[in-house]
Amino acid sequence: MFTTQIALTASLLSIFAAAAHTQAFPSADMARAHSLIGDMQALSRRMAVIPTAQAPLPATAAPLDTPFQALGPTGKTGRIDGPFSKGNGRYRVELNSTYELRFIVQTGYMDGQLTLKRDPITGLDSMRLLGRMWDRKNRTWGPTEDNTKAIKIEYDSQADTGCIHWLAENNTKKTERFYNGRSGRRMTIEFEGWGHDFYQD
């Protein structure tokens, strides 16, 4: 639209300029004609610098959901077979989309919402835990926390295995692994180094 307006303004400017130089206007109107030309030139310059809307950049990062298909689609529920008596529980997928996985985990060790996200343009990953963890030392539930941290998710599609890497608060490197999630109805995800098997209902 702005391109059409600029072209129209330029055409009008050329007409007025030619008329002014050839004395097509009566002499009494010459001053007003020059003033009008100046105003239209100023408007044309302002219109030329108005930014046009840009299309969003295309997604270039690898999909995040590929290694977690076995958890099921959004809304899917299932059971968790974890270590010892407290490792068992339930899960519910709140969102399983191309660049975000959000699910509820409820076991005797963890009770909360876990979110994995990937920026589709930069490929940067993040993890958020909103919930509480079992305090093994004090044998009670810890406080509800909301923690988001930068992570790096690596995935080997041929082996169908992957890792989640991040730095803990004391700057030590932490890694959790996941397996066999590309297809089927069962996969394994580690929490604090312990494997938890997720089965769809």
Side-chain angles (χ1 to χ4, degrees):
M1 181 179 69
F2 287 129
T3 303
T4 303
Q5 290 175 330
I6 292 172
L8 177 59
T9 302
S11 299
L12 291 173
L13 283 173
S14 63
I15 294 171
F16 277 115
H21 285 296
T22 59
Q23 302 295 318
F25 287 116
S27 58
D29 294 333
M30 289 298 294
R32 284 181 299 189
H34 284 292
S35 177
L36 179 60
I37 291 173
D39 291 342
M40 295 182 70
Q41 286 174 332
L43 175 62
S44 179
R45 287 191 295 269
R46 289 197 299 272
M47 292 171 62
V49 300
I50 295 176
T52 57
Q54 294 183 350
L57 294 173
T60 57
L64 176 66
D65 62 340
T66 302
F68 298 103
Q69 290 297 308
L71 291 177
T74 299
K76 192 65 181 179
T77 60
R79 65 181 178 90
I80 302 172
D81 185 5
F84 314 113
S85 60
K86 283 185 173 296
N88 299 330
R90 300 285 299 171
Y91 80 92
R92 182 178 75 254
V93 179
E94 294 191 326
L95 179 65
N96 194 353
S97 63
T98 306
Y99 293 109
E100 182 173 354
L101 169 65
R102 185 171 70 246
F103 59 110
I104 299 293
V105 175
Q106 293 177 316
T107 70
Y109 297 112
M110 179 179 177
D111 178 19
Q113 180 192 78
L114 184 65
T115 303
L116 303 178
K117 294 182 71 174
R118 171 168 291 163
D119 188 296
I121 305 302
T122 65
L124 297 178
D125 301 323
S126 65
M127 177 171 63
R128 179 191 182 197
L129 175 60
L130 173 61
R132 57 182 184 163
M133 303 293 290
W134 178 256
D135 187 333
R136 296 179 181 177
K137 181 179 179 180
N138 297 314
R139 301 187 63 79
T140 186
W141 284 104
T144 298
E145 299 181 359
D146 187 354
N147 294 322
T148 301
K149 60 189 67 179
I151 62 172
K152 177 62 178 177
I153 301 176
E154 297 179 344
Y155 176 62
D156 183 340
S157 60
Q158 293 185 342
D160 196 16
T161 62
C163 298
I164 301 175
H165 307 282
W166 75 93
L167 287 177
E169 293 180 357
N170 57 1
N171 286 328
T172 58
K173 294 182 179 180
K174 302 282 289 184
T175 297
E176 302 283 16
R177 295 173 173 81
F178 51 88
Y179 314 86
N180 306 321
R182 183 174 53 208
S183 60
R185 299 174 59 86
R186 171 186 174 274
M187 72 172 298
T188 302
I189 303 175
E190 289 183 352
F191 294 112
E192 296 189 352
W194 296 95
H196 293 65
D197 294 327
F198 288 70
Y199 298 84
Q200 293 185 35
D201 286 337

